[in-house]
Amino acid sequence: MRLVERSPKMRAHHPSPERGPKPGASMIFLTELAIAILVAVVPLAVLHAHLGRILTDECGTVERADFWVRYTYLVVGGCSILFAALGTHQGEPAITVDVLRYAFTRSLVGTLAALVGVGFQIMKFLPTRE
């Protein structure tokens, strides 16, 4: 029996099973996404009770404070998800401890960077006290 190599035209229509996403790639991505959302939600839940009150005192109006609260939620959530998605381990054969650890670390770095960035932005717009 002689093996015949596929022509390029045939390969385009019938890709070999070695190529393409691994069976667990979508599950790994969804796990990393869930970790990113969890890592972003925890500090926001802790800050929620105090953030609106403090920002209302500092900004002067409820509308301004609401803007900064929503802005904080969007930026922190977005950065956490972005950092997790940029370094995804979709090539791994399964969800391992390393995949979970890297997803948690990247999400945590994204969340902390976003909180620091938002803090500096809010600080720029606050009136100075003399």
Side-chain angles (χ1 to χ4, degrees), residues 87-104:
T88 187
H89 283 82
Q90 289 185 17
E92 296 286 327
I95 298 174
T96 62
V97 174
D98 285 339
V99 169
L100 297 175
R101 184 181 51 176
Y102 290 137
F104 180 76

Side-chain angles (χ1 to χ4, degrees), residues 50-122:
H50 305 290
L51 189 62
R53 184 175 40 81
I54 291 171
L55 287 174
T56 301
D57 289 344
E58 292 299 323
C59 294
T61 66
V62 175
E63 292 82 17
R64 289 181 188 167
D66 283 344
F67 166 79
W68 284 111
V69 168
R70 289 189 176 112
Y71 178 80
T72 301
Y73 290 169
L74 288 173
V75 170
V76 170
C79 280
S80 179
I81 291 170
L82 179 68
F83 272 61
L86 285 177
T88 187
H89 283 82
Q90 289 185 17
E92 296 286 327
I95 298 174
T96 62
V97 174
D98 285 339
V99 169
L100 297 175
R101 184 181 51 176
Y102 290 137
F104 180 76
T105 303
R106 286 189 313 269
S107 299
L108 189 60
V109 168
T111 300
L112 292 176
L115 285 172
V116 169
V118 168
F120 279 119
Q121 276 191 312
I122 291 172

Side-chain angles (χ1 to χ4, degrees), residues 17 19-33 88-96 99-100:
R19 289 188 225 146
K22 305 258 189 232
S26 60
M27 185 53 85
I28 291 173
F29 179 72
L30 290 175
T31 302
E32 290 176 334
L33 186 63
T88 187
H89 283 82
Q90 289 185 17
E92 296 286 327
I95 298 174
T96 62
V99 169
L100 297 175

Side-chain angles (χ1 to χ4, degrees), residues 7-21:
S7 68
K9 185 177 179 182
M10 185 172 223
R11 272 187 249 143
H13 295 291
H14 304 286
S16 62
E18 300 90 39
R19 289 188 225 146

